[in-house]
Amino acid sequence: MDLTTAHSLWLAPLCLVLGVGLAWWLYRRAGARDGFSPRLALMLAVVRALAIALIAFFLLEPMVRTMVREVRQPVLVIAHDGSASLAFAGDTAQLRSTHRAALEGLAERLSDRYHVRTFTYGDHVREGLHFEQEDVLTDISALLREVHDRASGPDLGGVILTGDGIHNRGRDPRLEAARLGVPVFTVALGDTTVRPDLVMKDVEHNRISYLGNEFPLLARIEARRLKGGESRVTVSVDGREIGTKQVRITADPFIAEVPFTILADRAGLRRYTVTVAPLESEGTDLNNSMDVFIEVLDDRQKVLILGEAPHPDLGALRLALGGSEGYGIELAFANDFNGVADTYDLIIVHRLPSRRHSLEPLLTRARDRGVPVLYILGQGMDMAAFNAQGAGMRITGWRDTHTDAQAQVDREFSAFTLEDEQIRAIERFPPLQVPFGQFEQGRAATAIMRQRIGAVRTPYPLMTVQQQGEQRNAVIAGEGLWRWRLADLQQHGTHVHFDRLVQKLTQYLALKTDRSRFRVDHAPSFNENEQVLMRAELYDATYAPVSTPEVTIILTNEEGSEFPYNFTPAGQVYRLDAGRLPPGRYTWQAATEHDGQRHTAKGELLVKALVAERLSTVADHGLLADLAARTGGIMAGPGALESIEQAIRAKPEIVARSYVHATFSDLIGLRWWFFVLLGLLTLEWVLRRRHGSY
């Protein structure tokens, strides 16, 4: 036990000097003034000096340092594999009874000398031993990381890991085991026997398709111990087969890819079941099928390309947009076009309005209905009519001739992103033929590119976008885009740089703004082991967010069962945690009421089944043996847990450790010092009172 202070101990004598000085000042004339005898005055002065010195000493914040010895038991972690692969391949009853009792008994026996912590791992790590075997993934590395985060250090003695060695998520567990630096003892569960099995390993597919289009499906199958057999791969939707192919198994093991081309004949989120027919000698058919979900859209954006006359630019634009399934392209010419503007999501006009075709009714209706227009300028245009459109670019002093201008990308443009490689490609494209005149950029317009004439970088815009209210417009100040597409192919061997530019510009212009006052957002799909989270927003007539009305939602599964929920207000929005839902497609309809008006929203979401645990049920005891050998542990079977217990007790490094550390306690916090101080002051008071003072 040591005495120390927050301030220097050299100040302690000053506390005594302070006490003596104040006591002397108080009692220097006590005999003449109070009639005290010299002996009594000296006694009172000593008592007062001690009290003042003690109070002053406490101002130095004295502390008592005590050395404490602590004995800590070594920590042992026991982790059980809670994944479903053990249930698919082994004796589940034995696992849940015999092995459970043996593992819990081992934990109890070891707890006499060790601090035992238990975990269950699978798709996530949780404390305790759980034997439901319902986890749909196995991540051994996540368990070892969790052990490292929670228990690593000198007290961690070892890890006992039970499981079948199958892991289908995360890093190689050997890397995480080496980081722990302690022996890993493994208990090998599951079955290593390779039984005859035909497996649907994977199905490659597009996430979305468009109504009326054909899309590819690629089924990957694997067969073990079935050489010479023959099976059939089928694709079905809504209970009807829409594709089938025969497969002959010619090797062991056998891997094959079976392609299908499927017609998207109905809009919505569609479930397609791909199945490989089981053979008689198979041990299980749980892994013979796989469901995939594809969103079939019926909302292609209609783009009108309207030309004054045939021109190669029109073909270049059509080819660039035709590479994306999201657009329906219509090519027409001004002399025979009689369509209506508001039937399109975007109108591209080439060398229009012209002297022969003013397009006034079409452009006026497009402006009134908020339909975006992309103007491509060229020879023969009526510039006065174009300037009257207020499209974001104005040309004055024009002549019926042209000049060549290359593109110089404006680096401050931020409405959409152009990658550095794309910018370099665009700036090397050949020049466009732009009308001769003075170019002025509109106040509401933003330049994507500016004109570079020869080596001179001009401030004149070459390509601009503008948004006024709900309408967006764009202007390309020259013709010759077909040269850009050819140059892209010549310089880079691909059309991708030109096509992406056209597609990004089109996507920006044709983007539809959601003006609904009630919106519900969520991820398009969830895994079956994830919480289904949704978010809702409600706005009043001025589009200010409100969160006081009640918001309800009903989820409906494919069988027609309904699951009602209520959203919870969270600030200015609403949130819903629907928990984990069974795999399948769900439709939902949300509703609320505000200011006497009912608002609704509807949609679909997908909960995907995780089938990784069914695809491989052959235990990987080699991994478990390698883990044990690399870290200095041993591997044992489920009936030999005593050998692991003996190996742990025999490890000289897995023993209790003694730690000595200092603890500090404030001296003023000790209650008896208060009574000492109180006793000194009380003694002084009693003596003075007894002899006639106070």
Side-chain angles (χ1 to χ4, degrees):
M1 179 182 296
D2 297 323
L3 181 65
T4 185
T5 60
H7 306 282
S8 175
L9 270 175
W10 290 104
L11 297 175
L14 296 180
C15 298
L16 184 60
V17 170
L18 177 66
V20 171
L22 291 177
W24 173 80
W25 180 264
L26 178 64
Y27 289 104
R28 70 186 190 283
R29 297 190 179 94
R33 185 181 65 244
D34 299 321
F36 293 161
S37 67
R39 184 176 180 181
L40 178 61
L42 178 61
M43 181 182 298
L44 290 173
V46 169
V47 172
R48 174 60 67 95
L50 289 174
I52 294 174
L54 189 59
I55 293 173
F57 182 67
F58 282 138
L59 294 178
L60 299 181
E61 300 180 42
M63 295 175 288
V64 177
R65 185 178 66 176
T66 307
M67 304 306 292
V68 177
R69 183 179 299 275
E70 179 183 0
V71 178
R72 295 184 192 172
Q73 290 183 327
V75 176
L76 287 180
V77 172
I78 299 179
H80 171 66
D81 182 357
S83 66
S85 60
L86 285 174
F88 291 140
D91 187 344
T92 308
Q94 182 183 13
L95 178 69
R96 293 178 178 173
S97 57
T98 307
H99 177 63
R100 177 175 187 169
L103 197 61
E104 291 175 344
L106 175 64
E108 185 176 353
R109 291 194 302 274
L110 290 174
S111 62
D112 63 341
R113 288 176 53 185
Y114 309 98
H115 176 53
V116 179
R117 300 187 64 179
T118 57
F119 295 92
T120 300
Y121 66 95
D123 52 33
H124 65 287
V125 180
R126 53 202 181 276
E127 293 200 30
L129 297 175
H130 305 276
F131 293 84
E132 294 83 4
Q133 307 306 133
E134 294 177 348
D135 285 16
V136 293
L137 294 169
T138 306
D139 190 348
I140 303 177
S141 63
L143 164 75
L144 298 176
R145 278 197 307 275
E146 191 80 9
V147 172
H148 181 274
D149 294 342
R150 294 196 188 190
S152 66
D155 293 336
L156 181 62
V159 177
I160 301 174
L161 180 71
T162 76
D164 54 13
I166 299 173
H167 63 104
N168 41 49
R169 173 168 286 189
R171 302 174 62 196
D172 187 336
R174 284 170 283 221
L175 302 176
E176 300 293 342
R179 198 161 71 105
L180 281 178
V182 298
V184 177
F185 304 89
T186 56
V187 180
L189 304 177
D191 192 351
T192 59
T193 304
V194 180
R195 293 184 172 86
D197 197 11
L198 189 56
V199 181
M200 179 65 64
K201 293 290 289 185
D202 189 24
V203 179
E204 281 192 9
H205 61 94
N206 297 336
R207 189 177 65 84
I208 63 172
S209 183
Y210 288 88
L211 186 64
N213 278 14
E214 292 184 336
F215 61 90
L217 285 180
L218 183 64
R220 288 194 176 92
I221 63 172
E222 180 180 338
R224 297 185 292 267
R225 303 287 179 91
L226 292 171
K227 183 178 179 180
E230 188 173 343
S231 185
R232 188 167 61 100
V233 181
T234 61
V235 180
S236 59
V237 60
D238 296 334
R240 57 185 176 88
E241 288 188 5
I242 57 175
T244 181
K245 288 189 178 181
Q246 295 293 125
V247 177
R248 181 176 294 277
I249 303 171
T250 58
D252 184 26
F254 174 77
I255 298 175
E257 294 182 345
V258 184
F260 292 91
T261 301
I262 308 298
L263 176 67
D265 57 355
R266 201 175 80 189
L269 193 62
R270 308 299 309 281
R271 180 207 292 262
Y272 295 88
T273 303
V274 186
T275 305
V276 55
L279 302 180
E280 291 184 2
S281 55
E282 277 194 80
T284 178
D285 60 359
L286 293 174
N287 50 16
N288 285 55
S289 66
M290 186 174 292
D291 290 336
V292 298
F293 290 82
I294 298 176
E295 189 172 6
V296 179
L297 303 177
D298 189 21
D299 59 351
R300 284 184 174 181
Q301 292 181 313
K302 295 183 64 177
V303 178
L304 170 65
I305 302 177
L306 185 61
E308 200 275 339
H311 193 282
D313 281 356
L314 305 180
L317 292 170
R318 187 173 188 175
L319 289 171
L321 293 176
S324 174
E325 290 188 347
Y327 300 107
I329 312 301
E330 180 181 339
L331 177 61
F333 299 99
N335 57 355
D336 58 1
F337 178 75
N338 55 8
V340 181
D342 45 2
T343 60
Y344 301 97
D345 297 294
L346 172 64
I347 299 174
I348 301 175
V349 292
H350 185 268
R351 300 201 303 185
L352 291 169
S354 67
R355 300 182 184 92
R356 292 190 302 164
H357 307 289
S358 68
L359 297 185
E360 184 61 29
L362 177 72
L363 297 177
T364 300
R365 189 174 181 89
R367 185 168 55 251
D368 294 342
R369 299 302 175 92
V371 179
V373 180
L374 167 58
Y375 297 87
I376 301 175
L377 309 186
Q379 295 182 8
M381 284 188 62
D382 184 348
M383 291 300 176
F386 166 73
N387 289 339
Q389 300 302 319
M393 189 184 298
R394 181 178 178 84
I395 304 175
T396 58
W398 73 88
R399 301 177 188 175
D400 197 9
T401 183
H402 68 271
T403 187
D404 291 339
Q406 284 187 285
Q408 171 192 338
V409 176
D410 191 327
R411 302 299 178 119
E412 295 183 0
F413 177 74
S414 59
F416 54 83
T417 303
L418 296 174
E419 295 81 5
D420 290 340
E421 180 186 356
Q422 189 176 9
I423 291 174
R424 288 192 296 269
I426 291 171
E427 292 183 341
R428 288 197 298 265
F429 286 167
L432 298 181
Q433 295 179 341
V434 302
F436 187 86
Q438 299 293 320
F439 289 81
E440 299 176 8
Q441 181 178 320
R443 292 184 179 180
T446 304
I448 305 175
M449 305 172 196
R450 299 190 184 275
Q451 299 179 27
R452 179 164 57 88
I453 302 175
V456 179
R457 298 175 180 268
T458 74
Y460 296 155
L462 180 65
M463 185 182 299
T464 61
V465 293
Q466 172 182 270
Q467 178 163 355
Q468 289 183 319
E470 296 298 319
Q471 187 181 34
R472 292 177 174 177
N473 293 317
V475 181
I476 300 176
E479 56 184 313
L481 295 173
W482 63 275
R483 295 191 183 93
W484 282 16
R485 198 165 195 270
L486 287 181
D488 196 12
L489 180 63
Q490 181 183 20
Q491 296 171 8
H492 308 100
T494 178
H495 300 296
V496 66
H497 302 99
F498 175 79
D499 289 355
R500 282 182 181 172
L501 173 64
V502 175
Q503 290 168 9
K504 285 183 178 181
L505 180 59
T506 302
Q507 183 179 10
Y508 171 77
L509 293 173
L511 182 67
K512 296 177 181 177
T513 305
D514 186 2
R515 301 295 293 172
S516 60
R517 290 169 52 188
F518 180 50
R519 308 168 190 171
V520 178
D521 297 321
H522 57 80
S525 63
F526 302 87
N527 291 328
E528 63 174 305
N529 64 334
E530 294 177 336
Q531 307 291 112
V532 175
L533 304 176
M534 307 181 77
R535 181 177 185 269
E537 299 175 358
L538 178 62
Y539 299 90
D540 62 17
T542 64
Y543 282 91
V546 292
S547 57
T548 50
E550 182 183 32
V551 176
T552 61
I553 189 170
I554 297 177
L555 297 177
T556 307
N557 64 13
E558 294 172 290
E559 288 75 34
S561 301
E562 295 185 347
F563 306 93
Y565 296 91
N566 280 39
F567 280 86
T568 302
Q572 295 183 336
V573 299
Y574 296 84
R575 299 190 186 278
L576 170 66
D577 182 353
R580 296 185 181 185
L581 297 177
R585 180 177 65 89
Y586 293 80
T587 59
W588 56 262
Q589 183 163 358
T592 187
E593 189 170 332
H594 179 60
D595 287 342
Q597 184 177 357
R598 183 173 175 80
H599 303 276
T600 61
K602 60 182 180 179
E604 295 178 321
L605 63 86
L606 168 66
V607 179
K608 296 187 291 188
L610 296 175
V611 297
E613 291 294 305
R614 299 202 301 260
L615 296 181
S616 178
T617 58
V618 179
D620 187 0
H621 289 177
L623 173 66
L624 299 177
D626 196 21
L627 273 175
R630 284 169 177 257
T631 59
I634 65 170
M635 185 182 80
L641 298 184
E642 293 79 6
S643 62
I644 291 180
E645 180 181 356
Q646 293 170 5
I648 291 174
R649 294 185 184 277
K651 289 276 186 184
E653 65 271 22
I654 310 180
V655 293
R657 295 175 184 268
S658 177
Y659 298 89
V660 177
H661 59 90
T663 62
F664 293 88
S665 57
D666 291 328
L667 196 63
I668 198 172
L670 300 178
R671 187 174 300 177
W672 58 273
W673 280 110
F674 168 76
F675 291 107
V676 169
L677 184 61
L678 181 63
L680 290 173
L681 297 176
T682 302
L683 176 61
E684 181 186 12
W685 180 83
V686 169
L687 291 175
R688 291 176 65 96
R689 185 76 173 174
R690 179 179 178 83
H691 292 84
S693 183
Y694 291 135

